[in-house]
């Protein structure tokens, strides 16, 4: 994973952390389901729920990033680079 030196203040940090904690609990539940030899379809349904929840976290972060970081970069004349970076992230998300 590529690490950036850029930093920002997450305006919805606590909401994101709460969602991620819930997802973490769901993943632990899936682990227990596999250990307990639960029915495959039940496990797959839980995996789909985790994937949907992660997509919501990603979209929330992307919205915050666009409204704050990209907007700020545009105002400061660095818009093209910020938009290119955002598009690269979007391309990775839809793979």
């Amino acid at each position: 994973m590529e690490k950036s030196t850029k930093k920002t203040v997450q305006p919805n940090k606590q909401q994101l952390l709460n969602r991620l904690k819930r997802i973490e609990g769901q993943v632990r539940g899936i682990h227990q389901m596999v250990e307990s030899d639960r029915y495959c379809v039940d496990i797959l349904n839980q995996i789909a729920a985790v994937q949907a929840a992660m997509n919501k976290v990603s979209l929330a972060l992307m919205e915050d990033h666009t409204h704050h970081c990209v907007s700020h970069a545009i105002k400061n004349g660095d818009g093209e680079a910020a938009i290119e970076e955002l598009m690269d992230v979007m391309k990775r998300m839809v793979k």
Side-chain angles (χ1 to χ4, degrees):
M1 180 188 292
E2 195 174 304
K3 189 174 180 181
S4 175
T5 57
K6 297 177 184 178
K7 295 201 182 236
T8 187
V9 174
Q10 296 296 330
N12 299 306
K13 184 176 183 175
Q14 194 56 52
Q15 287 176 315
L16 291 172
L17 289 172
N18 291 343
R19 283 183 177 194
L20 289 168
K21 284 179 187 176
R22 202 169 357 197
I23 292 167
E24 184 179 3
Q26 287 177 290
V27 171
R28 278 194 304 273
I30 292 169
H31 184 271
Q32 290 172 350
M33 291 174 80
V34 171
E35 280 187 337
S36 302
D37 296 322
R38 293 280 300 272
Y39 184 52
C40 296
V41 172
D42 293 340
I43 297 169
L44 290 168
N45 285 332
Q46 289 304 309
I47 290 171
V50 168
Q51 288 171 328
M54 286 299 296
N55 286 340
K56 286 183 181 182
V57 170
S58 295
L59 288 173
L61 273 169
M62 188 173 297
E63 185 175 359
D64 286 347
H65 178 68
T66 303
H67 285 292
H68 298 97
C69 301
V70 175
S71 175
H72 182 73
I74 290 170
K75 290 174 187 171
N76 290 328
D78 296 323
E80 284 301 315
I83 291 169
E84 186 175 318
E85 181 182 51
L86 178 62
M87 292 307 300
D88 288 343
V89 170
M90 290 177 72
K91 288 173 188 173
R92 282 194 300 274
M93 287 181 63
V94 297
K95 278 187 177 181

